[in-house]
């Protein structure tokens, strides 16, 4: 499996607040299926980030398009394949 960083920039604050519970439920379901490695919001309020664990970008985009935030126009999205580096900082 590959890792993909999905940026979810804020498009509509009101819609984002409305669909936040549905978005969080969506992420919980995807995490339980093993598809989400990590997620969180940016502290400046500009959006959030989800790290998906999927076989390819097409599979990630299919999921992202079903995220209530994206589906209802609250957030945009940008998908980037990501290579995680773990270990100590130099």
């Amino acid at each position: 499996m590959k890792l993909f960083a999905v940026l979810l920039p804020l498009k509509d604050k009101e819609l984002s607040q409305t669909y936040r519970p549905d978005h969080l439920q969506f992420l919980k379901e995807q995490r339980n299926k093993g598809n989400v490695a990590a997620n969180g919001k940016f502290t400046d309020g500009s959006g959030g980030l989800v790290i998906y664990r999927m076989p390819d970008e097409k599979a990630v985009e299919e999921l992202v398009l079903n995220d209530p935030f994206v589906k209802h126009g609250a957030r945009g999205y940008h998908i980037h394949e990501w290579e995680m580096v773990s270990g100590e900082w130099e």
Side-chain angles (χ1 to χ4, degrees), residues 33-87:
K33 292 178 182 179
N35 296 332
V36 171
N39 64 279
K41 63 181 180 178
F42 298 131
T43 59
D44 65 1
S46 64
L49 170 71
V50 180
I51 305 295
Y52 282 99
R53 187 182 302 111
M54 300 293 293
D56 56 47
E57 188 171 335
K58 182 179 178 185
V60 175
E61 188 166 33
E62 287 176 8
L63 277 181
V64 171
L65 290 173
N66 284 300
D67 181 332
F69 270 170
V70 174
K71 193 174 186 178
H72 296 286
R75 305 284 179 99
Y77 70 94
H78 304 284
I79 300 172
H80 301 275
E81 188 172 345
W82 184 57
E83 290 184 11
M84 183 174 75
V85 177
S86 59

